[in-house]
Amino acid sequence: MLASVFVTGGLRTLRDPRGVAPVAEPVAAPVASRIPWLTEDPERLVRINGAVQLGAGLMLATGRVPRVAALALAGTLVPTTLAGHAWWKEKDPERRAAQRTQFTKNLSLFGGLLIAAADTHGKPSVAYRARRGATRAWKDTGVNALRS
């Protein structure tokens, strides 16, 4: 369910990036200036963002590397939210409230994606397994006996 908003939004953006590019322009230039290999063309950046959302959304929905997919989606959500829902710039109270609602919705999605990225489905994390393996190897080699 979490992936559905990204699959549909990514597909919509891929089909019509021109509709979103003007909104993304204020965020596109600063992001592109910090990442040298990234294009500064807002329409192209919007298309890349849409492709990542579609691909990672499908991966999350089908359970293919869900943790990586969730992190990728969280990464796309930051510029999307800053560009599309800058409620603090709105003067009209109704538009301000609507943008704040969308901003908060995206913030909630971001939190859900972080939970999905950290979820190990009941299995120990890679870090835990590495520490445990190192401890076992340490004990198996008898190095502790030499320290006494």
Side-chain angles (χ1 to χ4, degrees):
M1 289 183 169
L2 180 59
S4 64
V5 71
F6 297 101
V7 172
T8 58
L11 187 58
R12 186 176 351 104
T13 301
L14 277 174
R15 285 183 173 165
D16 184 23
R18 288 184 183 97
V20 183
V23 176
E25 199 163 348
V27 173
V31 169
S33 69
R34 288 182 174 82
I35 305 171
W37 52 267
L38 201 58
T39 179
E40 290 189 19
D41 178 25
E43 188 175 321
R44 211 164 188 195
L45 287 172
V46 164
R47 189 178 296 264
I48 291 167
N49 194 58
V52 171
Q53 286 187 343
L54 176 62
L58 288 171
M59 287 179 7
L60 183 63
T62 58
R64 305 272 192 239
V65 287
R67 296 172 76 186
V68 173
L71 283 176
L73 290 170
T76 67
L77 202 53
V78 173
T80 300
T81 303
L82 292 175
H85 305 298
W87 58 269
W88 54 91
K89 293 181 181 178
E90 291 292 337
K91 303 293 183 220
D92 178 45
E94 284 184 32
R95 286 189 45 83
R96 185 180 181 97
Q99 288 299 348
R100 188 179 309 123
T101 299
Q102 292 301 314
F103 183 91
T104 306
K105 174 202 58 126
N106 281 9
L107 193 59
S108 299
L109 285 170
F110 187 77
L113 289 168
L114 291 182
I115 290 169
D119 184 23
T120 60
H121 301 285
K123 299 176 193 165
S125 69
V126 173
Y128 171 82
R129 288 182 289 182
R131 282 191 306 271
R132 186 168 180 207
T135 302
R136 281 187 175 172
W138 188 263
K139 288 178 181 177
D140 289 347
T141 58
V143 176
N144 275 348
L146 296 176
R147 294 183 137 196
S148 325

